[in-house]
Amino acid sequence: MLKNFFKITLRTLWRRKDFSAINILGLAIGMAAAMLIGLWVNNELSYDRWYTNTDRTYLLCTREDYDGSLQVWPRTSSLMAADLKHNYAEVEDAARFRNVYFLVTHDDKHFNPGGAFADSGFLKIFSFPMLEGNPNTALKTDQGIVLTAKLAKNLFGGEDPMGKLVRIDSNDIFKVTGVLKDLPANTQFTFEYLLPWNYLDRLKWDSPNWNNTPAPTYVLLRPGARQQAFDEKIKHITAKHVTEGRGLTRETFTHPISRVHLYSKDVNGQFVTGQITTVRLFIVIGVFILLIACVNFMNLSTARSEKRAKEVGIRKVVGARKTSLIAQFIGESILLATLAFILALGIVQLSIKGFDNIINTPLEIHYGDPRFWIAAAVFILFTGIVAGSYPAFFLSAARPIKVLKGATSAARSRLNPRKVLVILQFTFAVVLITGTLVIRQQLRYARDRDTGYDRSRLVFTFSQGGNWTQYESIKRDLLASGAAVSVTRTYSPMTRAWGSVTNFSWPGSTPDDKKRSFVQFEADADFTKTTGTKILEGRDLDLKTYPTDSTALLLNESAVKTMRLTDPIGKIVTDQGGGQYHIVGVVKDFILESPYDPIAPMLIQGLQSTYPVIHYRLNPALTVAAALGKAEKVFKEHNPQYPFEYYFVDESYNSKFRAQQQEGTLGTLFAGLAIFISCLGLFGLATYMAENRRKEIGIRKVLGASVTGITALISMDFIKLVLIAVVIATPIAGYAMHVWLESFTYRIAITGWIFVASGTLAVAIALLTVGYQAIRAAIANPTKSLRSE
């Protein structure tokens, strides 16, 4: 029986190769898109879930009331780890972690990779695979360093790195005590070497104060310890160790390590959203695209019902049961899904590298993993059953007497199931088109926002080695060589905020004003000249000309409004410790952080940072390459062992849009696929309908109907369905994108033209798809179709 079913299935597919090809191609594209999305979703959901003790590992976070709203950040006091280990029985281990950049040298090989300081328990809490060394002791020695396999190979080639010496920043010697397997893509951590935390203490870079929160702290709870009970126990841990300051009102709580990547955005003091929103969005998109492909199969299968109905009628007359017919049609569908899956695998393999470039994440299909093939089998069965269920029940329900007499259901009734499926298909497609247009509009809206400074040819270099002590010489030589037209130094890059401060008072301030948070920034002479920021009142900072500018302040416009100052120049601002700062100028607001958020109040102090960031504007009279070449010579002269590394401010600023760019690119890609699959099915339906109506079209032409009239007659049947889909999709897309836009403070308003544009595009594409077959049918010679009459 199975052999007979298999033969019938192959004959059916071969008899109408065109429809079989459309079915298989449509299903394959839908399955390939769903597989790519599934690979990405699986990668996102697997972030930080592969550690041995994932279920017991937590990130400590701080919660505090700022300006009337609860804010959360994933850092705590550097004193907290030791306190938790010694005084809380629930804690098995705790470790601090802090990223750093050092020059790593062995013999004549110099590399400047990213690394980190970490406590000895870090490698116990996080089970990174170690190729060599003991994770329990590798970071316990004061002069031990743990390398990744990549950095070890760069430094030592094929030699065994264990026990060999490396120099850190031309100052200290460390012995290799461990080698880690290179970190996978699905981890929040990025480092190529680990140094013991006490080295940070020796450098006096730590700030051991309960009021400061400089670094992430991770805890491993003992088996059986409950997160909720532990959170309640440590809630006011900071207040137990301070007598004044913000620490009195701060709360501490744990965030599961498995949720850090997906739930990183806080709302009312809780991590409730973040990357998980994008993951859910693309799960829905993947399901939609697969359903669109399945709808194609349903439509084309039921469109051929008149041809298959007689076959069903005869089989029923000779004794076939309904269940056996359903099994046959479902079997045909599963076979088609299997062929489509094979084709889909080929499409995925050809496109996965390009997809990796869009999402900036390497994805891979693990063919040797049995779980992949189990998932593939489930995927094929699911797709085959979903795609084939309606045709199977529709065809198996045919009554033998009626179909053998030639009586079939009206294919052109006002609203048959086939038309409903076409409407459903294009509803999905229009929602995707609308969403893509909204994302791109929001991205353009934020990009066009005035940044408040000039990003063109503005470059920055981080201070490393000796360049921070030789800043004045570097500045002089950059200007003298013609590499730059202006140079300054700041606390952080122009595109990042590295800190915030509170507990300030000023003339007219209230006790509640001490709770207000200000972005902390520091700058030196030629800050406004180099960056292009504008002085609105007063003057720029200049520590060389005005030595007292170490206690001077520039305020941005938002700070002036927050402080309610009408004449700020000369006013004194006092910090918590009694230190006084005099205001020397006001600058126009400029975007330091997210272009989607309001500009925060900012205090720009005279530079005090030990390791400032050097900003310089390249000479416009030279090409960028020539100016950078001159700049490299200057930095190499003053810092010969360090590689010349530079960053363009405009590229750094544009990176803030990366997430939305990804969403826009993926939205465009999958909206295009949805439209293509829908039109593929529409083309097949139009071909079949034109074939079934050949005699009707011939009679109309004999009676005088024009080619235009016949084309419009055939096309309008489908265009009406697309228009209905547009009407249904508009409120759905509007609501979905309104929810998406709520995550941005600085956002567009959804206007009617977006819905008109997406609807017009869908109708135009459908018209082009159907129009070809409609015109072909209209210009056919009527004598051929009426010859048998």
Side-chain angles (χ1 to χ4, degrees):
M1 183 64 73
L2 288 175
K3 184 179 179 181
N4 183 45
F5 280 174
F6 188 70
K7 282 184 177 179
I8 292 172
T9 299
L10 290 179
R11 286 171 183 170
T12 303
L13 295 178
W14 189 254
R15 190 180 305 124
R16 291 308 308 264
K17 294 183 285 292
D18 50 352
F19 282 91
S20 299
I22 290 174
N23 259 339
I24 292 172
L25 181 61
L27 269 181
I29 293 173
M31 293 174 86
M35 286 168 65
L36 285 172
I37 292 174
L39 287 171
W40 176 78
V41 167
N42 181 65
N43 181 74
E44 292 294 304
L45 295 179
S46 68
Y47 254 78
D48 294 316
R49 291 176 182 265
W50 49 271
Y51 309 119
T52 303
N53 299 312
T54 295
D55 59 329
R56 297 191 286 124
T57 304
Y58 300 86
L59 169 66
L60 288 176
C61 301
T62 303
R63 182 190 294 120
E64 189 169 358
D65 188 324
Y66 275 97
D67 299 338
S69 65
L70 284 174
Q71 294 187 17
V72 173
W73 59 98
R75 300 181 305 279
T76 63
S77 167
S78 58
L79 297 171
M80 190 168 293
D83 187 73
L84 291 174
K85 284 178 68 174
H86 293 117
N87 299 316
Y88 291 82
E90 298 90 340
V91 176
E92 182 174 321
D93 212 335
R96 297 162 293 184
F97 180 89
R98 180 171 166 179
N99 286 106
V100 71
Y101 281 86
F102 281 133
L103 184 72
V104 182
T105 303
H106 175 70
D107 293 339
D108 60 344
K109 296 179 180 178
H110 309 279
F111 297 95
N112 197 23
F117 299 107
D119 283 312
S120 59
F122 180 79
L123 292 175
K124 177 183 176 183
I125 296 172
F126 299 100
S127 48
F128 295 107
M130 288 200 77
L131 303 177
E132 295 186 74
N134 186 337
N136 296 319
T137 60
L139 290 174
K140 281 191 174 181
T141 60
D142 290 349
Q143 297 301 123
I145 184 172
V146 176
L147 309 177
T148 62
K150 176 184 175 182
L151 182 57
K153 185 175 182 180
N154 289 337
L155 288 170
F156 305 105
E159 299 178 25
D160 183 1
M162 289 297 290
K164 288 192 166 53
L165 304 179
V166 297
R167 184 182 298 274
I168 294 296
D169 236 19
S170 305
N171 296 316
D172 295 292
I173 303 297
F174 283 79
K175 180 190 290 187
V176 178
T177 54
V179 178
L180 291 174
K181 187 177 179 181
D182 290 335
L183 304 188
N186 56 346
T187 178
Q188 63 176 283
F189 298 103
T190 54
F191 60 82
E192 290 195 44
Y193 58 89
L194 291 173
L195 292 166
W197 187 271
N198 61 19
Y199 183 53
L200 183 145
D201 293 331
R202 297 204 305 271
L203 293 172
K204 302 188 185 303
W205 287 5
D206 196 9
S207 50
N209 184 316
W210 280 96
N211 277 311
N212 295 332
T213 56
T217 301
Y218 300 91
V219 294
L220 176 66
L221 297 185
R222 296 188 186 280
R226 292 175 57 248
Q227 179 194 2
Q228 188 174 0
F230 181 67
D231 279 358
E232 191 62 32
K233 199 170 182 179
I234 66 168
K235 185 175 183 179
H236 300 294
I237 185 173
T238 303
K240 296 177 182 178
H241 295 85
V242 298
T243 56
E244 60 179 359
R246 300 299 305 235
L248 289 170
T249 58
R250 280 180 182 159
E251 296 179 358
T252 303
F253 67 98
T254 57
H255 189 35
I257 195 68
S258 59
R259 292 173 63 88
V260 169
H261 175 69
L262 296 174
Y263 298 87
S264 59
K265 188 171 182 179
D266 65 291
V267 177
N268 296 324
Q270 299 289 338
F271 288 117
V272 295
T273 186
Q275 182 69 0
I276 189 65
T277 303
T278 305
V279 170
R280 289 168 178 162
L281 172 65
F282 280 98
I283 288 174
V284 172
I285 290 174
V287 172
F288 274 11
I289 291 177
L290 188 60
L291 285 177
I292 287 172
C294 291
V295 165
N296 263 2
F297 184 92
M298 295 177 188
N299 269 336
L300 293 175
S301 297
T302 55
R304 297 168 58 196
S305 58
E306 290 183 16
K307 304 289 184 184
R308 301 292 306 267
K310 289 183 179 179
E311 173 197 335
V312 171
I314 292 172
R315 291 173 68 87
K316 281 193 169 184
V317 167
V318 297
R321 295 183 179 181
K322 184 176 180 179
T323 52
S324 65
L325 292 171
I326 291 174
Q328 178 192 337
F329 292 128
I330 290 289
E332 287 182 13
S333 176
I334 291 173
L335 177 61
L336 263 178
T338 303
L339 296 174
F341 178 77
I342 295 169
L343 181 57
L345 276 181
I347 295 172
V348 169
Q349 285 299 131
L350 291 173
S351 59
I352 196 166
K353 294 299 181 185
F355 190 69
D356 289 351
N357 293 334
I358 294 174
I359 63 174
N360 294 316
T361 302
L363 300 177
E364 184 181 358
I365 299 177
H366 299 284
Y367 292 105
D369 189 344
R371 291 175 298 179
F372 167 75
W373 294 108
I374 293 171
V378 172
F379 185 49
I380 291 169
L381 286 172
F382 172 80
T383 305
I385 292 170
V386 169
S389 56
Y390 174 65
F393 286 100
F394 178 84
L395 291 170
S396 63
R399 296 183 180 180
I401 296 176
K402 286 189 176 182
V403 296
L404 293 177
K405 281 184 176 181
T408 57
S409 59
R412 286 181 287 152
S413 61
R414 285 194 174 183
L415 194 65
N416 59 31
R418 197 178 312 136
K419 292 179 179 179
V420 172
L421 291 174
V422 171
I423 292 170
L424 180 66
Q425 196 174 38
F426 271 88
T427 298
F428 292 159
V430 173
V431 168
L432 289 177
I433 293 172
T434 305
T436 301
L437 291 177
V438 171
I439 290 172
R440 292 196 169 275
Q441 277 296 107
Q442 171 66 7
L443 184 61
R444 188 179 299 113
Y445 182 68
R447 274 185 164 169
D448 291 343
R449 186 181 181 186
D450 181 15
T451 57
Y453 62 94
D454 183 7
R455 305 194 305 272
S456 63
R457 288 179 167 257
L458 185 59
V459 181
F460 64 89
T461 296
F462 293 104
S463 292
Q464 281 190 293
N467 63 17
W468 65 275
T469 59
Q470 303 179 55
Y471 167 72
E472 292 298 341
S473 299
I474 292 174
K475 177 177 181 178
R476 182 190 65 240
D477 291 348
L478 284 172
L479 296 173
S481 67
V485 293
S486 185
V487 183
T488 190
R489 52 183 175 175
T490 60
Y491 169 63
S492 65
M494 283 295 291
T495 53
R496 304 182 203 172
W498 280 357
S500 61
V501 289
T502 57
N503 286 297
F504 280 88
S505 61
W506 55 88
S509 64
T510 66
D512 286 340
D513 285 328
K514 288 193 174 185
K515 297 179 181 180
R516 296 190 181 278
S517 175
F518 295 86
V519 172
Q520 181 184 18
F521 200 75
E522 298 175 6
D524 199 356
D526 296 327
F527 168 67
T528 57
K529 178 183 177 183
T530 305
T531 61
T533 49
K534 296 179 181 178
I535 291 282
L536 303 179
E537 295 182 58
R539 62 171 176 84
D540 198 355
L541 296 166
D542 188 345
L543 273 75
K544 188 174 181 181
T545 305
Y546 306 98
T548 58
D549 272 6
S550 60
T551 58
L553 284 180
L554 287 178
L555 307 183
N556 70 347
E557 293 174 281
S558 296
V560 173
K561 292 176 183 176
T562 298
M563 299 166 82
R564 304 178 301 280
L565 298 174
T566 55
D567 185 18
I569 306 302
K571 295 291 191 299
I572 301 298
V573 177
T574 306
D575 65 19
Q576 177 185 349
Q580 294 189 331
Y581 302 83
H582 57 286
I583 300 172
V584 298
V586 177
V587 297
K588 181 182 177 182
D589 278 345
F590 61 92
I591 300 173
L592 193 65
E593 297 182 278
S594 172
Y596 298 105
D597 294 334
I599 295 175
M602 183 187 304
L603 303 181
I604 305 174
Q605 301 171 246
L607 188 72
Q608 299 174 9
S609 173
T610 308
Y611 290 89
V613 180
I614 302 173
H615 285 82
Y616 43 102
R617 188 172 297 280
L618 299 179
N619 191 341
L622 301 175
T623 64
V624 171
L628 286 173
K630 289 178 177 290
E632 182 177 11
K633 289 181 181 178
V634 172
F635 279 97
K636 280 289 188 181
E637 181 182 344
H638 292 280
N639 219 13
Q641 289 189 312
Y642 285 76
F644 173 58
E645 296 183 345
Y646 58 89
Y647 305 88
F648 285 97
V649 170
D650 57 354
E651 291 180 359
S652 180
Y653 182 78
N654 287 337
S655 69
K656 297 175 182 288
F657 302 98
R658 187 171 295 142
Q660 285 68 47
Q661 281 178 319
Q662 279 185 9
E663 290 173 5
T665 303
L666 291 174
T668 302
L669 172 64
F670 292 125
L673 286 177
I675 282 289
F676 178 77
I677 296 170
S678 300
C679 289
L680 199 64
L682 206 60
F683 181 82
L685 278 178
T687 302
Y688 204 83
M689 293 305 174
E691 182 182 314
N692 280 359
R693 297 175 69 178
R694 279 185 307 163
K695 291 182 180 179
E696 175 195 339
I697 293 169
I699 293 170
R700 287 180 181 274
K701 289 194 72 176
V702 168
L703 295 177
S706 65
V707 171
T708 304
I710 292 173
T711 301
L713 176 70
I714 297 174
S715 300
M716 283 307 296
D717 284 347
F718 294 100
I719 299 305
K720 288 175 184 177
L721 301 180
V722 176
L723 287 172
I724 293 172
V726 170
V727 172
I728 296 172
T730 296
I732 297 172
Y735 174 76
M737 297 320 296
H738 172 74
V739 172
W740 181 78
L741 285 170
E742 281 186 333
S743 61
F744 305 103
T745 305
Y746 189 80
R747 58 179 180 261
I748 63 169
I750 301 178
T751 53
W753 78 263
I754 291 177
F755 301 109
V756 172
S758 57
T760 302
L761 182 62
V763 171
I765 293 173
L767 187 60
L768 287 172
T769 304
V770 175
Y772 169 75
Q773 285 298 337
I775 293 171
R776 186 181 174 191
I779 62 176
N781 189 341
T783 59
K784 292 183 178 180
S785 59
L786 299 176
R787 186 176 299 159
S788 60
E789 302 297 321

